[in-house]
Amino acid sequence: MICPGITPKATASVWATTGTNETITLPLKTGYNYNFQVDWGDGTTVDTITSFNQAEATHTYASAGSHTVTMTGLAEAWSFNNGGDKLKITSVTDFGDMGWIDLGGAFHGCSNLTAFAGGNTAAVTNMSSMFYNASGLTSLDLSSFNTAAVTNMVSMFHYATNLTTLDLSSFNTAA
């Protein structure tokens, strides 16, 4: 939940493009609230996103490379769900405080994702398949996660086959 008068912590992620005029599309889900600004990390205009299917949720990069995408505001859900641009996201340097409530399938199939950190998950109810087949992850520190509201964690780490370190010390799995 985002409190009025308090600036939430931004979400920052790195995406890789390999050619000119290549696009990335943010993995937003239908049925959730969005009102955030996105800085695409290439000096272009900051876009405001208010709908899951808004044209501005897709961005075209003039040149190939690694691009740091920063989002601030409200985004209740995030889900690659083994589709979209799942292979273009390479790291989440801070998952931020966006008012997340549904992370089901959030990074499912993101096999090039090598790092993930942070995130306010206090209001999240669904983390099912969140890192399903995120085979590029080797170490995952989720010690900052608040899982008290989560009711579904089915297959959260299924096929995240290269994980050698997983810190779940703060997970609350009480019924």
Side-chain angles (χ1 to χ4, degrees):
M1 170 187 237
I2 297 177
C3 299
I6 296 175
T7 303
K9 193 172 183 183
T11 294
S13 55
V14 179
W15 300 64
T17 58
T18 57
T20 58
N21 298 317
E22 189 173 344
T23 64
I24 66 166
T25 300
L26 301 175
L28 308 177
K29 283 176 86 166
T30 183
Y32 293 91
N33 294 309
Y34 300 99
N35 187 7
F36 65 91
Q37 291 69 48
V38 58
D39 180 337
W40 299 100
D42 62 354
T44 59
T45 304
V46 171
D47 288 319
T48 298
I49 309 296
T50 58
S51 173
F52 82 98
N53 62 350
Q54 187 175 329
E56 290 81 3
T58 297
H59 183 74
T60 303
Y61 287 96
S63 59
S66 290
H67 312 282
T68 300
V69 176
T70 306
M71 300 168 22
T72 54
L74 174 69
E76 292 181 338
W78 182 271
S79 182
F80 282 99
N81 203 27
N82 205 30
D85 289 325
K86 66 181 182 177
L87 299 179
K88 294 179 183 176
I89 190 164
T90 60
S91 70
V92 176
T93 55
D94 195 325
F95 201 50
D97 184 0
M98 301 284 295
W100 305 116
I101 59 172
D102 186 348
L103 299 177
F107 299 97
H108 177 187
C110 296
S111 58
N112 292 327
L113 182 68
T114 59
F116 181 94
N120 181 346
T121 60
V124 175
T125 58
N126 182 12
M127 289 183 176
S128 64
S129 301
M130 186 172 177
F131 297 103
Y132 192 110
N133 202 25
S135 57
L137 288 170
T138 57
S139 177
L140 195 52
D141 182 355
L142 302 180
S143 62
S144 67
F145 270 31
N146 178 337
T147 58
V150 177
T151 58
N152 187 353
M153 288 184 186
V154 171
S155 297
M156 187 172 177
F157 306 104
H158 199 75
Y159 290 119
T161 54
N162 288 315
L163 277 175
T164 56
T165 305
L166 181 61
D167 185 347
L168 304 177
S169 61
S170 68
F171 272 37
N172 175 356
T173 57

